[in-house]
């Protein structure tokens, strides 16, 4: 059947109403939001396999998506029948089409084909890095937390900040060194955890940072630790903000970086970071897929203010947000919005911290609701005018004694981990026993699954039964007074018990 892209094919869609139609690798997608793009529709299919064709029927808010195999299409339909897919916050409907393949009218569908080609090219280019023989890369220890990154087709400058922004979606980036070798821009980038390096390599190797250029080629480095001497635009150690900037190299002006980002904005998939409102594992797959199509919004290098939405307005307070976001940076101010109390603005000490908080907390559950964290367009959080009572919705934490990252080179920089069910407790006085701590944590409304003291008894690991319970316990008990002038310190751990 030849379809034309003008949407006048009513006759041919008759049978497409039945969800239980025979499986086909062509899927019929309905109720699409008006302004949706081909890229967003393709991103729906990417986690399940290769997408081979697409036809958008703009006037009818419908599309046909063809996957490489029937198997992939079946997995996709089964998955989305359990979890309703959303595009731009609108539910959409997916079912098998009666067509076994799409024969599209190329002139009308050129744009879609171009998008597909770009996406497919990105997926296919996972060739090994030039210069490494296959045997060598096979021997390269996958245990290294350090990645070697080469950027091909570098039509636009790729700054250290852009790399940081892209890679910190996969975990805490500790250090980056950039250099030019054999006329190629290269970087060494160290994660806090080798697992994150592995995930980043898997998701990003062969992807383009900007439309059709700046291709990432990623391999594990033989180095397991980077030694950074200077913090400037060529190298940076995020665990040691106290390093000198070296021979007076100016760092790239954030305004210029932002201008570049606007200029060359990636094939951005709106909502790529809150992929299709899907729970955990699939969200990761979909986020990676959306990321394959282009990194969303590499802009506003220095943006320090976050917008947090979908909060539980009955429960949330500036203090609870301060404590949770304080795990990833020093929270300066919090403002719960007066006329929209399920949203808040949070100002961090620097752009790196707001980035970390966003990548770790977006999509986590706080007081029973999945929160959304994005960069705000505000530069600062305004305090209420003198004598104006805003019911305690705005709080200035600038002078709080509880900031974790005030001291340059503080150990806390090395212990930034995503929310996990296992908590790391420290500053425990000798008189407090395991039983006391188990009771204390059970009182936050969760179940304590396991507990283990470190040898010196000042620190312990405590495991709750879910990540959500651990987040709640951290909010309730970080800085809890255990007596003998000991205030309990709580953070997320990367270990399990």
């Amino acid at each position: 059947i030849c379809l034309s892209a003008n949407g006048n094919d009513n006759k041919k869609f008759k049978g497409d109403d039945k969800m239980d139609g025979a499986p086909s690798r062509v899927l019929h997608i309905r109720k699409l939001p008006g302004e949706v793009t081909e890229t967003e529709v393709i991103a729906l299919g990417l986690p399940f396999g290769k997408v081979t064709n697409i036809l958008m029927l703009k006037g009818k808010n419908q599309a046909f998506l063809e996957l490489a195999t029937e198997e992939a299409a079946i997995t996709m339909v089964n998955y989305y029948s359990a979890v309703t897919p959303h595009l731009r916050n609108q539910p959409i409907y997916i079912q098998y089409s009666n067509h076994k393949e799409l024969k599209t009218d190329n002139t009308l569908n050129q744009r879609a084909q171009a998008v597909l080609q770009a996406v497919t090219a990105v997926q296919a280019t996972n060739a090994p890095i030039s210069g490494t023989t296959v045997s060598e890369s096979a021997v390269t220890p996958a245990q290294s937390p350090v990645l070697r990154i080469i950027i091909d087709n570098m039509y636009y400058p790729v700054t250290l900040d852009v790399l940081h922004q892209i890679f910190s979606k996969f975990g805490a980036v500790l250090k980056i060194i950039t250099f030019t070798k054999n006329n190629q821009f290269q970087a060494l980038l160290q994660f806090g955890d080798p697992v994150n390096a592995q995930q980043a390599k898997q998701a990003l190797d062969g992807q383009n940072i900007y439309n059709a250029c700046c291709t990432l080629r990623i391999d594990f480095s033989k180095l397991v630790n980077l030694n950074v001497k200077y913090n400037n635009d060529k190298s940076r150690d995020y665990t040691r903000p106290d390093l000198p900037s070296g021979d007076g190299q100016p760092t790239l002006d954030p305004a210029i970086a932002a201008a570049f980002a606007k200029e060359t904005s990636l094939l951005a998939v709106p909502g790529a970071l809150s992929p299709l409102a899907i729970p955990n594992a699939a969200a990761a797959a979909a986020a990676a897929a959306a990321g394959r199509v282009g990194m969303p919004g590499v802009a506003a290098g220095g943006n320090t203010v976050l917008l947090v939405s979908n909060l539980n307005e009955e429960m949330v307070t500036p203090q609870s947000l301060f404590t949770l976001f304080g795990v990833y940076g020093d929270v300066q101010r919090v403002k719960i919005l007066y006329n929209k109390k399920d949203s808040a603005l949070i100002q961090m000490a620097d752009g790196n911290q707001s980035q970390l908080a966003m990548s770790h907390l977006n999509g986590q559950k706080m007081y029973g609701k999945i929160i959304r964290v994005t960069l705000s367009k505000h530069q600062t959080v305004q305090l209420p005018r003198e004598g104006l009572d805003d019911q305690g919705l705005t709080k200035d934490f600038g002078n709080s004694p509880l900031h974790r990252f005030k001291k340059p080179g503080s150990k806390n920089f090395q212990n930034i981990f995503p929310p996990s069910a296992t908590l790391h407790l420290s500053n425990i006085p000798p008189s407090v026993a395991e039983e006391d701590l188990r009771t204390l944590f059970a009182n936050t409304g969760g179940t304590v699954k396991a507990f283990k003291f470190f040898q010196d008894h000042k620190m312990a690991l405590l495991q709750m039964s879910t990540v959500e319970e651990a987040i709640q316990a951290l909010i309730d008990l970080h800085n809890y007074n255990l007596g003998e002038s000991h205030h309990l310190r709580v953070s997320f751990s990367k270990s399990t018990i």
Side-chain angles (χ1 to χ4, degrees), residues 236-490:
R236 203 161 300 165
D237 182 337
Y238 295 94
T239 62
R240 300 199 43 207
D242 52 328
L243 288 178
S245 68
D247 43 17
Q249 285 174 314
T251 49
L252 187 75
D253 180 297
I256 297 174
F260 263 123
K262 276 202 191 65
E263 193 74 311
T264 55
S265 78
L266 306 166
L267 242 176
V269 182
L273 282 178
S274 48
L276 336 171
I278 299 177
N280 322 346
R292 269 182 211 143
V293 186
M295 306 293 152
V298 175
N303 202 337
T304 58
V305 181
L306 296 167
L307 171 65
V308 188
S309 53
N310 201 37
L311 292 163
N312 179 334
E313 50 185 273
E314 303 298 310
M315 306 289 289
V316 75
T317 60
Q319 186 64 47
S320 61
L321 291 168
F322 167 76
T323 305
L324 179 57
F325 281 74
V327 172
Y328 300 106
D330 293 338
V331 175
Q332 304 299 306
R333 292 174 178 181
V334 178
K335 180 194 266 313
I336 294 173
L337 303 183
Y338 189 79
N339 45 10
K340 199 172 180 327
K341 293 196 173 59
D342 68 346
S343 301
L345 293 173
I346 299 181
Q347 183 176 336
M348 308 296 284
D350 64 45
N352 177 30
Q353 295 181 0
S354 55
Q355 201 63 47
L356 272 177
M358 176 168 80
S359 61
H360 287 308
L361 294 175
N362 180 42
Q364 296 289 350
K365 264 187 156 171
M366 180 181 184
Y367 297 124
K369 299 193 72 163
I370 294 178
I371 63 171
R372 288 278 159 248
V373 186
T374 53
L375 290 173
S376 160
K377 48 183 192 304
H378 294 281
Q379 294 307 304
T380 56
V381 169
Q382 296 297 322
L383 293 175
R385 288 197 304 281
E386 279 298 309
L388 203 71
D389 172 28
D390 78 338
Q391 301 169 5
L393 293 175
T394 311
K395 205 155 184 268
D396 188 348
F397 293 97
N399 300 323
S400 167
L402 297 184
H403 288 156
R404 296 177 187 237
F405 306 99
K406 267 238 172 64
K407 289 198 196 72
S410 149
K411 273 219 178 61
N412 294 332
F413 281 101
Q414 279 135 48
N415 295 316
I416 295 179
F417 301 111
S420 63
T422 307
L423 297 167
H424 179 276
L425 316 182
S426 56
N427 204 22
I428 303 167
S431 61
V432 170
E434 171 175 340
E435 218 21 70
D436 303 325
L437 290 165
R438 279 178 172 269
T439 309
L440 186 62
F441 277 77
N443 283 342
T444 62
T447 310
V448 177
K449 282 293 249 267
F451 182 93
K452 182 172 130 226
F453 264 122
F454 284 71
Q455 273 169 325
D456 64 2
H457 208 283
K458 291 181 182 143
M459 298 198 285
L461 291 177
L462 180 142
Q463 190 177 340
M464 303 298 286
S465 62
T466 63
V467 175
E468 186 186 355
E469 288 179 7
I471 289 177
Q472 185 59 53
L474 180 141
I475 290 172
D476 291 350
L477 294 175
H478 177 62
N479 199 42
Y480 182 84
N481 187 351
L482 291 171
E484 301 171 43
S485 72
H486 280 67
H487 286 78
L488 182 65
R489 297 184 61 82
V490 185

Side-chain angles (χ1 to χ4, degrees), residues 61-127:
N61 298 70
Q62 298 182 357
F64 287 90
L65 194 67
E66 177 188 275
L67 281 89
T69 64
E70 198 169 287
E71 218 165 19
I74 293 171
T75 317
M76 178 167 165
V77 168
N78 291 347
Y79 178 73
Y80 287 131
S81 58
V83 175
T84 311
H86 285 68
L87 280 181
R88 309 206 170 195
N89 296 329
Q90 238 171 281
I92 56 171
Y93 299 91
I94 298 181
Q95 63 203 41
Y96 300 117
S97 160
N98 291 344
H99 310 306
K100 289 298 173 213
E101 62 174 322
L102 277 184
K103 290 198 175 61
T104 45
D105 169 340
N106 245 353
T107 46
L108 288 164
N109 207 20
Q110 250 165 351
R111 160 141 189 237
Q113 291 305 316
V115 171
L116 249 181
Q117 267 169 336
V119 175
T120 328
V122 159
Q123 280 184 296
T125 48
N126 280 344

Side-chain angles (χ1 to χ4, degrees), residues 11-181:
K11 300 189 291 300
K12 303 193 185 117
F13 297 150
K14 279 233 177 58
D16 270 345
D17 290 340
K18 12 183 229 309
M19 178 76 177
D20 48 20
S24 154
R25 63 194 186 98
V26 179
L27 299 176
H28 180 203
I29 304 175
R30 295 173 304 142
K31 299 261 168 55
L32 289 169
E35 61 290 3
V36 84
T37 64
E38 282 91 347
T39 310
E40 288 168 274
V41 176
I42 293 171
L44 288 170
L46 282 176
F48 304 95
K50 191 170 171 194
V51 175
T52 46
N53 207 341
I54 180 171
L55 171 70
M56 298 283 278
L57 305 173
K58 283 276 164 84
K60 306 178 61 114
N61 298 70
Q62 298 182 357
F64 287 90
L65 194 67
E66 177 188 275
L67 281 89
T69 64
E70 198 169 287
E71 218 165 19
I74 293 171
T75 317
M76 178 167 165
V77 168
N78 291 347
Y79 178 73
Y80 287 131
S81 58
V83 175
T84 311
H86 285 68
L87 280 181
R88 309 206 170 195
N89 296 329
Q90 238 171 281
I92 56 171
Y93 299 91
I94 298 181
Q95 63 203 41
Y96 300 117
S97 160
N98 291 344
H99 310 306
K100 289 298 173 213
E101 62 174 322
L102 277 184
K103 290 198 175 61
T104 45
D105 169 340
N106 245 353
T107 46
L108 288 164
N109 207 20
Q110 250 165 351
R111 160 141 189 237
Q113 291 305 316
V115 171
L116 249 181
Q117 267 169 336
V119 175
T120 328
V122 159
Q123 280 184 296
T125 48
N126 280 344
I129 296 191
S130 48
T132 47
T133 58
V134 175
S135 60
E136 179 195 316
S137 55
V139 180
T140 305
Q143 289 71 31
S144 171
V146 180
L147 295 176
R148 180 175 66 143
I149 302 157
I150 293 178
I151 297 185
D152 284 344
N153 313 331
M154 194 158 132
Y155 300 135
Y156 297 112
V158 172
T159 62
L160 183 144
D161 290 324
V162 165
L163 290 174
H164 182 266
Q165 187 154 16
I166 292 168
F167 283 83
S168 56
K169 304 225 183 332
F170 297 89
V173 172
L174 304 186
K175 305 168 186 177
I176 305 180
I177 298 172
T178 62
F179 51 96
T180 302
K181 186 174 169 186

